[in-house]
């Protein structure tokens, strides 16, 4: 089982089964990728915040059978204030959608990743 450490932003989070989420991450090092956060919807889960949309952090991903699983995350910014105003939430969703559309899997996304973070912070 290979382990990867990446800086990423959750651009999409879809509930899966009882306690899991499937995340779409736009990462600085590996472009767009999909990862499963197992058990993240349990109230005591350490991944609860890390599996939320717009969360920016350093994710540790384990790769098994061609799939990624989030094993831990050091959250750097949650961009919580985006959820307080509908127009800010709409703009952030749009920015994440554009970043997700242009990020290619397994390709570095260096300059564009900085633009994504700047757009979310505005």
């Amino acid at each position: 089982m290979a382990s990867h450490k990446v800086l990423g932003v959750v651009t999409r989070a879809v509930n899966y089964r009882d306690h899991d989420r499937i995340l779409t991450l736009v990462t600085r090092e590996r472009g767009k990728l999909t990862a499963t956060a197992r058990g993240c919807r349990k109230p005591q889960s350490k991944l609860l915040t890390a599996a939320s949309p717009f969360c920016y952090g350093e994710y540790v991903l384990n790769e098994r059978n061609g799939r990624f699983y989030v094993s831990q995350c050091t959250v750097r910014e949650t961009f919580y204030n985006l959820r307080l105003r509908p127009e800010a939430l709409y703009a952030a969703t749009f920015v994440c959608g554009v970043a997700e559309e242009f990020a290619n899997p397994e390709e570095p996304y260096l300059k564009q990743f900085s633009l994504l973070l700047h757009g979310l912070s505005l």
Side-chain angles (χ1 to χ4, degrees):
M1 179 167 37
S3 182
H4 307 277
K5 199 179 264 193
V6 294
L7 285 174
V9 173
V10 177
T11 57
R12 185 183 315 227
V14 178
N15 291 343
Y16 179 68
R17 295 192 179 163
D18 289 337
H19 302 290
D20 304 341
R21 276 196 181 141
I22 297 176
L23 308 177
T24 302
L25 293 166
V26 173
T27 67
R28 187 174 178 266
E29 298 84 357
R30 300 180 67 119
K32 181 172 78 170
L33 55 88
T34 303
T36 303
R38 288 187 173 163
C40 70
R41 291 171 47 210
K42 293 180 182 178
Q44 70 276 16
S45 174
K46 294 179 181 179
L47 294 177
L48 184 62
T49 303
S52 301
F54 315 122
C55 183
Y56 164 53
E58 186 175 6
Y59 290 82
V60 177
L61 306 174
N62 292 327
E63 185 176 8
R64 189 173 50 225
N65 298 330
R67 297 182 144 201
F68 292 105
Y69 298 90
V70 179
S71 64
Q72 60 188 24
C73 177
T74 304
V75 175
R76 294 192 176 184
E77 178 66 56
T78 60
F79 296 106
Y80 181 78
N81 290 337
L82 296 173
R83 295 165 178 81
L84 302 178
R85 294 188 349 247
E87 63 276 4
L89 183 63
Y90 177 76
T93 303
F94 179 77
V95 167
C96 284
V98 169
E100 193 178 311
E101 187 69 30
F102 287 100
N104 294 320
E106 299 300 324
E107 285 185 18
Y109 199 66
L110 305 175
K111 291 179 183 178
Q112 299 90 332
F113 188 76
S114 296
L115 287 174
L116 169 62
L117 291 177
H118 185 69
L120 291 175
S121 67
L122 290 177

